[in-house]
Amino acid sequence: MRIEGNIVDVLNHRVFPGLIEVYKGRIKRIEETDGHYDRFIMPGFVDAHIHIESSMLVPSEFARIAVKHGTVATVSDPHEIANVLGVEGVEFMIENGKKTPFKFNFGAPSCVPATGFETAGAEIGPDEIRGLLERDEIKYLAEMMNYPGVIHDDVDVHRKISISKSLGKPVDGHAPGLRGDELTRYISAGISTDHECFTQEEAFEKLSKGMKVIIREGSAAKNFEALIGLANEHYQNMMFCSDDKHPDDLLLGHINDLCARALQRGVSLFKVLEMACINPVNHYGLEVGQLRLGDMADFIVVRDLENFSVESTYINGKCVFDRGKSYIEPQEFDLPNAFSTGFKSESDFRLVSDSEKVRVIVARDGELITDSKEGRANLKAGNLVSNLEDDILKITVVNRYSDQEPAIAFIKNFGLREGAIASSVGHDSHNIIAVGANDEMLCKAVNTIIENKGGICVISGDDSLVLPLPVAGIMSDRGAEWVGEKYAELDKKAKALGSRLRAPFMTLSFMALLVIPSLKLSDLGLFDGKDFEFTDVLI
């Protein structure tokens, strides 16, 4: 195969007219010509940190859409499905991904369960970590979010890190807001990256201490604007990632969008492309071509170097996308799952009290971190209920692995004036999480998720809208376009009920993420992420 165009040589910071000859999946010849071309050939994009599960698509379906945006590879942490199904879940992701030419590079999930303060569906200890890391498909130890365990010398945490280091595989970090001496201890343990920075000052400190910083712009957590100012000076130690990308957003764009935005913010072209195409390959040792002689023929054809409008995508010399059509085919697969809780009654969501004063989770739009404040719920017949006037709503997390009593708390900034929303995508353990304007709607929403053995839903009066997620309760068995359309419909419905959040379901999914401060809710109770201990709802 031969292809001609303006070749973007990122490694040598030059663009020249030329041709590329591909033989048996590799670049056999690159030759400069005197041609005049209106298209550019460049290395493909790499998402440096993503949970494929958060797209609600299985890997093969994710790949079918990602190649439309010029993405040829991902650094993929299967942490979400591992918390549901353990090693079996990781193997599902690997095997399903292998059915496509797309280059999934999976990590060994380091924190399953993420903490001991919640109920997960599985556990992955040091022995299982070694078994995973010894596999060629596993490229790294995935985000070490138990940073207190690293800092305070937890034995199992350090065993996992040591195993990865002994096998020559990098260790990903996850330490939002960690600074000073504790950050130094965290890095010295062997942690090489962080994608959780939410201020430029935090990112600069991590860079100055030898970490690589990954700029995240996902469906909920958006740190691009805060961090991009560092790129011109520190691009060699920075990358781009989405972390969590919902299906409707994935249909619109991926890493290509971040490259266009970086150029608009004054970052020079080749620095942007090193971050998006080269740095992840070098850091993780990926088998992804960089448009060099002898490399695997992984490249894209774009119409311009401003918006990166993708015309074609090639992986291992095979055209997987061309002029609007993806050539990655849908695949058949089994539906692994884990749902063992029974239906709930409205009385299960009562919170008995003789006072209205409560500790409230304050959600932040576009961020994973939350705040904590004192507020007032409404007291009715000895039961604390949602206070719609002050936007203090009842939130619940329900154990989906066994039949247990729901955990109850209160949250601000979801804005629902009626009804409820619920999801079995609840990081990290993926129990059922729901927010409602009243107990009746809260109960209906939770039972809708249980009935479907996973999904997301909106309940209003007698009306219900649900997107089933039968694959581990976190992914669909349908195509991206259908899932994206259904998700967009649910998003619109939640906003019609009063939510002002840009991505209410993505934000909801992180309200049980205990490793991100400050106040969150697990199936076992309200959790203070700063002190790393449970705290009382009632004040």
Side-chain angles (χ1 to χ4, degrees):
M1 182 191 79
R2 287 164 52 109
I3 186 168
E4 297 184 43
N6 297 304
I7 296 173
V8 183
D9 183 356
V10 178
L11 296 173
N12 294 300
H13 288 201
R14 64 189 292 252
V15 180
F16 61 90
L19 68 84
I20 296 173
E21 184 174 339
V22 176
Y23 179 70
K24 291 187 176 180
R26 293 189 177 273
I27 295 177
K28 179 181 179 182
R29 181 162 65 109
I30 300 176
E31 182 179 305
E32 192 164 349
T33 70
D34 58 2
H36 297 279
Y37 308 105
D38 60 358
R39 62 181 185 170
F40 298 83
I41 306 170
M42 57 174 279
F45 299 118
V46 181
D47 191 325
H49 175 78
I50 187 172
H51 304 280
I52 300 298
E53 304 97 308
S54 291
S55 70
M56 302 183 190
L57 307 172
V58 295
S60 57
E61 190 60 27
F62 175 93
R64 191 175 67 83
I65 302 304
V67 295
K68 294 183 176 183
H69 307 306
T71 304
V72 300
T74 57
V75 180
S76 308
D77 179 3
H79 171 88
E80 313 306 340
I81 196 169
N83 268 279
V84 178
L85 297 169
V87 172
E88 176 192 348
V90 179
E91 291 173 343
F92 170 84
M93 300 296 280
I94 292 171
E95 295 307 313
N96 182 262
K98 281 181 177 179
K99 295 180 179 181
T100 78
F102 191 88
K103 298 193 171 182
F104 292 104
N105 298 279
F106 289 105
S110 66
C111 299
V112 180
T115 73
F117 302 97
E118 57 196 308
T119 305
E123 182 175 348
I124 296 181
D127 292 340
E128 289 83 6
I129 287 293
R130 179 177 291 279
L132 287 169
L133 285 169
E134 287 176 344
R135 298 179 61 159
D136 290 339
E137 302 97 333
I138 301 295
K139 303 295 185 182
Y140 65 107
L141 183 64
E143 54 182 316
M144 179 49 72
M145 58 182 61
N146 186 2
Y147 60 84
V150 177
I151 295 165
H152 300 296
D153 298 324
D154 180 277
V155 174
D156 279 355
V157 166
H158 280 272
R159 279 186 63 196
K160 292 174 182 179
I161 294 171
S162 295
I163 291 167
S164 189
K165 290 163 69 176
S166 71
L167 294 171
K169 296 186 177 182
V171 182
D172 261 11
H174 172 117
L178 196 64
R179 308 287 296 273
D181 291 343
E182 289 190 333
L183 172 62
T184 301
R185 291 193 66 181
Y186 185 68
I187 295 170
S188 66
I191 313 297
S192 63
T193 68
D194 192 64
H195 60 276
E196 293 286 346
C197 299
F198 50 87
T199 68
Q200 190 170 116
E201 293 76 18
E202 177 191 350
F204 178 77
E205 181 180 356
K206 288 175 176 175
L207 286 164
S208 68
K209 290 183 174 180
M211 266 189 152
K212 290 181 169 61
V213 168
I214 308 176
I215 297 178
R216 169 180 61 189
E217 190 79 351
S219 292
K222 299 179 182 292
N223 309 122
F224 178 92
E225 296 296 342
L227 306 183
I228 195 61
L230 294 168
N232 264 324
E233 184 176 353
H234 298 281
Y235 70 95
Q236 291 174 314
N237 291 306
M238 299 183 79
M239 298 172 264
F240 291 118
C241 81
S242 61
D243 196 1
D244 295 287
K245 194 81 167 172
H246 266 189
D248 55 336
D249 288 338
L250 181 63
L251 288 169
L252 299 176
H254 197 196
I255 302 301
N256 56 327
D257 286 347
L258 300 188
C259 291
R261 288 175 60 186
L263 286 179
Q264 292 167 8
R265 297 301 183 275
V267 186
S268 63
L269 174 66
F270 290 108
K271 293 177 180 180
V272 170
L273 296 185
E274 283 200 35
M275 292 168 64
C277 310
I278 305 300
N279 293 351
V281 176
N282 292 339
H283 179 71
Y284 293 99
L286 309 183
E287 296 173 7
V288 178
Q290 300 182 0
L291 211 59
R292 300 173 299 189
L293 196 66
D295 275 3
M296 298 303 297
D298 306 319
F299 56 82
I300 62 177
V301 180
V302 299
R303 292 188 286 274
D304 60 74
L305 296 178
E306 293 83 33
N307 297 311
F308 301 100
S309 302
V310 179
E311 185 177 291
S312 305
T313 300
Y314 293 82
I315 299 178
N316 293 339
K318 179 180 179 181
C319 182
V320 294
F321 171 75
D322 186 58
R323 294 174 176 81
K325 179 175 175 57
S326 177
Y327 292 104
I328 294 180
E329 298 293 334
Q331 303 293 323
E332 294 185 357
F333 49 86
D334 294 329
L335 301 177
N337 208 327
F339 245 90
S340 301
T341 188
F343 291 110
K344 305 302 176 185
S345 63
E346 187 177 334
S347 62
D348 291 324
F349 300 95
R350 288 179 57 86
L351 185 59
V352 177
S353 175
D354 57 6
S355 170
E356 297 178 342
K357 200 172 182 180
V358 293
R359 187 169 280 108
V360 179
I361 302 167
V362 182
R364 289 194 191 184
D365 198 10
E367 295 187 29
L368 307 190
I369 61 173
T370 63
D371 299 312
S372 174
K373 65 169 290 184
E374 293 183 3
R376 293 189 179 277
N378 287 338
L379 186 58
K380 292 186 177 180
N383 174 38
L384 285 177
V385 298
S386 295
N387 175 355
L388 301 186
E389 184 176 347
D390 293 336
D391 185 25
I392 296 176
L393 305 179
K394 188 173 280 189
I395 180 171
T396 184
V397 174
V398 179
N399 184 328
R400 64 128 132 172
Y401 304 104
S402 63
D403 206 1
Q404 304 295 328
E405 185 176 319
I408 306 293
F410 290 88
I411 192 164
K412 186 174 179 65
N413 287 338
F414 268 81
L416 300 180
R417 305 298 300 174
E418 61 172 304
I421 63 175
S423 175
S424 57
V425 178
H427 306 281
D428 277 311
S429 294
H430 299 290
N431 290 301
I432 303 165
I433 185 165
V435 172
N438 60 60
D439 291 1
E440 179 188 5
M441 293 295 101
L442 198 65
C443 181
K444 283 187 176 181
V446 167
N447 284 338
T448 298
I449 301 302
I450 294 171
E451 180 181 4
N452 285 275
K453 295 191 178 298
I456 64 175
C457 73
V458 177
I459 304 296
S460 177
D462 293 330
D463 296 331
S464 65
L465 184 64
V466 61
L467 166 57
L469 299 174
V471 183
I474 56 177
M475 290 178 285
S476 174
D477 59 343
R478 302 282 295 271
E481 290 83 1
W482 183 87
V483 176
E485 181 180 346
K486 198 76 172 177
Y487 177 79
E489 187 179 355
L490 282 155
D491 181 79
K492 183 179 179 180
K493 181 72 171 176
K495 291 171 180 174
L497 295 182
S499 180
R500 297 178 297 275
L501 296 169
R502 283 175 289 178
F505 283 103
M506 183 64 88
T507 301
L508 179 67
S509 72
F510 290 113
M511 293 305 100
L513 184 55
L514 308 188
V515 295
I516 301 287
S518 69
L519 197 61
K520 298 291 174 69
L521 181 66
S522 89
D523 66 298
L524 301 178
L526 192 62
F527 189 78
D528 185 329
K530 289 184 177 178
D531 294 334
F532 232 66
E533 62 184 18
F534 288 113
T535 188
D536 292 328
V537 177
L538 305 178
I539 299 176

